[in-house]
Amino acid sequence: MIPELGHFTLALGVAFGFAQAFLPLWGAARGDARLMQAAPALALGQFLALGTSFFCLAWSSAVSDFSVLNVAENSNSLEPLIYKITGSWGNHEGSILFWCLILSLCGAAVAAFGGNLPSSLRARVIGVLGAAGVGFALFALLESDPFLRLWPPPVDGRDLNPLLQDPGLAMHPPILYTGYVGFAVPFAFAVAALLEGRIDAAWGRWVRPWTLAAWCFLTGGIALGSWWAYYELGWGGFWFWDPVENASLLPWLTGTALLHSALVVEKREALKVWTVLLAICTFSLSLSGTFLVRSGILNSVHAFANDPARGVFILVLLGLVVGGSLLLFGLRAPVLAASGIFAPVSREGALVLNNILLCSIAAVVLTGTTYPLFADLLLGEKLSVGAPFFNATVFPLAMPLFAAMAVGPMLSWKRADLGAALMKLWWAALVAAVAGVVMATRAALLPALAFAAAAWLILGALADLIERVRLFRIPLGASARRLMGLSRGSLGTTIAHAGLGVTIAGIAAMSLAHAAIVLLHPGETAKLGGYDWQLVNVHDADGPNYAARVATIRISRDGRLVTVLAPERRSFPVQQITTTEAKISTNGLRDLYAVLGEERDGGAVLRLHVNPLAPWIWFGALIMAVGGMVSLADRRLRVGAPARRAAVAAA
Amino acid sequence: MRGVLALVLWLLLAGPAFAISDPAEALPDPAQEARAVAIGQQLRCLVCQNESIEDSGADLARDLRRIVRQQVAAGRSNREVIAWLVARYGNFVRLRPPFETGTLLLWGSPVLALAAGGGAVLLARRNRPAPPPPLSAAERDRLRQLLDRT
Amino acid sequence: MNRRLLLLAPFGVALVAGGGFLAMLRREQAGTFDPRGVPSMLIDRPVPPFSLPGLASSDLRGRPVLVNFFASWCVPCVEEAPVLMDLRRAGVPLYGIAYKDKPEATDAFLSRHGDPYARLARDLPGRVAIDWGLTGVPETYLIDRDGIVRWRWVGPLTPEAVTAELQPLLRRYA
């Protein structure tokens, strides 16, 4: 009964989607206020329908209703309840439904918080959101129905892929998808602006909070995915330039560019056409990223369901959304008045530089990811493009970006004094140079440069903050008052820029990591990175749906116990997969990391790592997301603010 | 029979799950080992997608790691070791594709992207609307009148 | 005018990319495009010199032969076995190389699924296989009378592949 309710509400969601796609847009085109007013109710209706539908799927999974094919294939009665629930978005069918649910959530959010938008703009934004999503909801209903029944039902399910049975990865898809799909809102604003033929500073102010929110989630999602790879795959690596990873990095890069160019629209009414294009490209990249992965074209370690027939359906949908919006851009963008006169040395000049560099990095990553496919198709050449290529090409583009990042926020709008800005940063530059030289004696050139960049970014952010609160130049109390009074927007910028510095420091420090593979017998000790790693024993331990071997490792330094790690090797009988559970002990400045390999000759093969500053990689990403959220709390960005400010100005 | 099949399948699947290798694999000389790792990171594990042979637990990757180490120990240069593998598996085995006509666009992409960005900025600067001309004497008078009225 | 064209450029790029992906999917469905396949470097080149217990490169001359890499632990090899037996019955000379397989396991496999091989070699360390550019088992190579590799098939041989690809080549190099 519950699965049928889910199936029915999914169909209802599709019906609402069609209505949401057509009625408000038609109403806006005809100037019919009643049709336009229907938009929020339709968006809310679609959200409620798809929400019920997804709840039914999660429910079927939670109660282990194996008469549902999707549940039988991806769940097991012995699995902990939490993974039964999270497993409902961990498979192909469920994740598509989940994707549609989040898109409908975006529509409902615009309906709920967009009360101060002009009614035609709001109707168009909601309509475009409906049009972008309805195809995929239809795809879920027709081509990847999660509620298909199975008769007779099997006694037990086939279990969720053990690699996905992990708290980090359980939470990864919701956060990442919210990030991906969140960019649908700026996309809808961009398409709506093209339809209206008008963009002004207020448009920029409406777009930015949505972009910021999506960006925060995407930053968090990527960081969580990379953290999962670090501790779950057990190679000690955290980023592999895999197509799936690149697919999430691409919208992040263009989304970051969008965040900055929307600022120029808001402050200077310039870069309008470019910002609209960026908004379209960002959502197009996140769409392509989510769905090309499923078409089976991209080669990946994280391959999802590979089915070329489904691939064609998805490609046609992608073509309609991406191609349609870009065609509309080509036809309508000339209407948008080109404006914006500005000096190269100014805040907006720095933001343009940021956009060029970010988009160049995105272009390189996109080229590298798709090049093997097109080389094979057009030239018949089989090539591989992997980490060495991306490291070699992205690094030279990222360095000038980092260099400019600390200076940019110090420049004033319209016309700035570069010399004066640099004077305020002299000590940051000095410390960064010293850090780079010191690192160059211990590591290779590239990590040394990256370390210098990290120091430059963190200290540059600090210098910016000191400058703004006029620390030591006015009484401390006055500085504190200034700090409290700082606009959340600029504070957010400072925090996010420093966060990137922290991440880069963590990445650079990976070059100083120690790793070893040793065969130890119980009682034996290995030395690595100044620590003594003693294997105490290897014993059996059973989990709810797996059997495990656990190694107990005592780690001490100079005779003092530091920590005890117990890495596991789990075998899941249902899926017949063995996973390694790496164990990590961190003190914030270094990770001790141990993986249990095979056992032989009465001993165990262990892979041991000492990774200095490794937690900084994800800690920095967290700081970046916090910076975004601080920025989001800015009064001027809060929904309704433009209207209120206008009222204040009038009074 | 089905039991045997299941076991075989299990062995096949179990292999790649351990991304851990044999401690005896590493070369005794740390400098040579570091060089072997650097070479291995440039080489693609052919049976698993997008992993270097250093990262992979697959059987073939292990064999290739061993061969790389043998050749490094025998004093071959990085270039020679990679060429040896390219002769057997083609450029597909290189994670860093060679610079040749077929990869011109690939390696040129950073420069092309920067040039496109720079070109767009130049174009926008050239096409920017002319600043409004300074006010004529008559307009200035009218402005003064308007301002005086308030 | 120029500006209009420029603004349509992103659409053009998306159109080309979409067309490319569509062509890939189409050809993948038709089986003529495989982004995962590793190309063979041996096509139209002489067989790499080797000497294994049971077979050496010098034995691959004088008449066209098929060389099949297999293993008892390989599931698709079971699937392939009847096709190989049919080839043997049709009189095609077939040499087998057991890849990383214990001799007793190989023998048990051949007694269970039939032994299609005119000669059997054993590559226990899998070293010769790397000279051939092998990425997995089963793989099948066609060698002509001069010891030049003319064709390679990755994965289990299918009756369709035999009629569509192998038989014309066998006639050509006979």
Side-chain angles (χ1 to χ4, degrees), chain A residues 7 20 28 120 153 169 172 216 270 278 281 336 450 524:
Chain A
H7 192 244
Q20 184 189 336
S120 68
L169 203 67
H172 177 235
C216 290
L278 262 185
C281 287
L336 301 173
E524 284 181 346

Side-chain angles (χ1 to χ4, degrees), chain A residues 450-470:
Chain A
F451 243 116
W456 167 248
L457 280 177
I458 299 171
L459 297 175
L462 200 63
D464 188 31
L465 206 61
I466 289 174
E467 200 58 38
R468 280 173 202 277
V469 302
R470 322 195 92 236

Side-chain angles (χ1 to χ4, degrees), chain C residues 28-92:
Chain C
E28 202 178 350
Q29 269 170 300
T32 52
F33 180 78
D34 177 16
R36 278 164 205 79
V38 184
S40 175
M41 299 304 286
L42 284 184
I43 302 300
D44 296 334
R45 298 235 180 106
V47 163
F50 69 91
S51 173
L52 284 174
L55 192 70
S57 46
S58 53
D59 302 334
L60 300 170
R61 278 173 184 277
R63 61 170 185 167
V65 288
L66 282 179
V67 175
N68 176 254
F69 284 86
F70 73 103
S72 67
W73 44 261
C74 139
V75 181
C77 297
V78 180
E79 197 184 316
E80 184 185 50
V83 183
L84 295 183
M85 288 307 284
D86 284 346
L87 280 174
R88 183 195 173 105
R89 263 174 237 124
V92 178

Side-chain angles (χ1 to χ4, degrees), chain A residues 233-235 240 242-243 299-301 338-344 352 356-357 360 363-364 367-368 371 379 381-389 392-393 397 517-519 569 575-578 580 595-598 600 605-607, chain B residues 6 9-10 13-14 17-24 41-42 44 48-51 54-56 62 90-98 100-107 109-110 113-114 117-118 121 125 127-132:
Chain A
L233 295 182
W235 310 333
F240 303 96
D242 180 82
N299 269 329
S300 162
V301 284
S339 65
I341 317 156
F342 51 74
V352 169
I356 292 178
L357 290 169
S360 296
V364 169
T367 311
Y371 203 84
L379 309 172
E381 262 190 80
K382 292 273 187 186
L383 291 173
S384 302
V385 179
F389 169 82
T393 48
L397 289 172
I517 299 158
V518 291
L519 174 66
R569 204 176 62 241
Q575 288 230 338
Q576 295 175 331
I577 287 182
T578 305
T580 51
V595 189
L596 172 62
E598 55 193 278
R600 61 161 185 258
V605 176
L606 300 172
R607 185 189 270 260
Chain B
L9 214 62
W10 181 79
L13 290 171
F18 308 115
I20 202 157
S21 39
D22 195 331
Q41 281 169 345
Q42 309 262 322
R44 176 177 190 152
C48 28
Q49 299 300 333
N50 286 297
E51 285 172 53
E54 286 298 317
D55 293 331
S56 171
R62 184 181 308 192
N91 279 327
F92 190 74
V93 79
R94 302 178 65 166
L95 284 170
R96 179 207 288 262
E100 54 185 34
T101 37
T103 58
L104 218 53
L105 270 179
L106 178 70
W107 284 105
S109 61
L114 279 180
V121 168
R125 284 183 73 80
N127 285 352
R128 73 181 175 199

Side-chain angles (χ1 to χ4, degrees), chain A residues 284-600:
Chain A
S284 300
L285 285 172
S286 60
L287 257 187
S288 318
T290 332
F291 290 100
L292 276 184
V293 172
R294 292 148 199 283
S295 69
I297 304 180
L298 289 178
N299 269 329
S300 162
V301 284
H302 315 260
F304 236 109
N306 290 342
D307 178 356
R310 272 178 176 175
V312 172
F313 197 123
I314 284 173
L315 198 62
V316 169
L317 283 177
L318 275 180
L320 287 176
V321 175
V322 177
S325 54
L326 285 175
L327 182 62
L328 184 72
F329 172 82
L331 297 176
R332 294 283 293 174
V335 179
L336 301 173
S339 65
I341 317 156
F342 51 74
V345 181
S346 60
R347 177 78 71 84
E348 52 270 44
L351 290 171
V352 169
L353 182 66
N354 144 306
N355 267 238
I356 292 178
L357 290 169
L358 275 172
C359 291
S360 296
I361 295 175
V364 169
V365 174
L366 183 64
T367 311
T369 310
T370 53
Y371 203 84
L373 296 171
F374 283 96
D376 194 354
L377 185 76
L378 300 174
L379 309 172
E381 262 190 80
K382 292 273 187 186
L383 291 173
S384 302
V385 179
F389 169 82
F390 290 108
N391 291 338
T393 48
V394 169
F395 190 84
L397 289 172
M399 286 312 280
L401 183 67
F402 300 151
M405 264 177 75
V407 187
M410 295 238 171
L411 299 176
S412 51
W413 295 95
K414 291 187 182 171
R415 195 171 294 277
D417 185 350
L418 185 62
L422 290 177
M423 281 301 284
K424 292 170 194 161
L425 283 167
W426 68 269
W427 58 277
L430 188 69
V431 176
V434 171
V437 170
V438 169
M439 272 295 284
T441 60
R442 296 157 162 242
L445 182 64
L446 294 193
L449 281 172
F451 243 116
W456 167 248
L457 280 177
I458 299 171
L459 297 175
L462 200 63
D464 188 31
L465 206 61
I466 289 174
E467 200 58 38
R468 280 173 202 277
V469 302
R470 322 195 92 236
L471 191 67
F472 304 133
R473 266 179 285 163
I474 55 173
L476 276 179
S479 283
R481 271 194 300 283
R482 283 186 79 100
L483 183 65
M484 298 313 291
L486 269 188
S487 86
R488 298 277 185 279
S490 60
L491 197 59
T493 306
T494 309
I495 294 173
H497 284 198
L500 183 65
V502 172
T503 294
I504 293 165
I507 294 172
M510 272 299 204
S511 65
L512 300 176
H514 300 275
I517 299 158
V518 291
L519 174 66
L520 289 186
H521 294 87
E524 284 181 346
T525 302
K527 284 190 185 301
L528 179 73
Y531 294 87
D532 297 318
W533 309 62
Q534 187 194 28
L535 178 68
V536 179
N537 60 30
V538 186
H539 58 273
D540 284 315
D542 286 347
N545 53 345
Y546 60 85
R549 291 286 288 167
V550 182
T552 312
I553 304 170
R554 282 170 57 95
I555 303 166
S556 51
R557 184 168 194 147
D558 306 326
R560 286 220 318 275
L561 180 70
V562 178
T563 186
V564 177
L565 290 179
E568 298 179 26
R569 204 176 62 241
R570 294 180 180 171
S571 44
F572 290 76
V574 181
Q575 288 230 338
Q576 295 175 331
I577 287 182
T578 305
T579 66
T580 51
E581 289 286 310
K583 285 293 151 68
I584 303 167
S585 161
T586 184
N587 65 359
L589 290 174
R590 56 103 188 93
D591 278 358
L592 301 174
Y593 183 115
V595 189
L596 172 62
E598 55 193 278
E599 285 170 66
R600 61 161 185 258

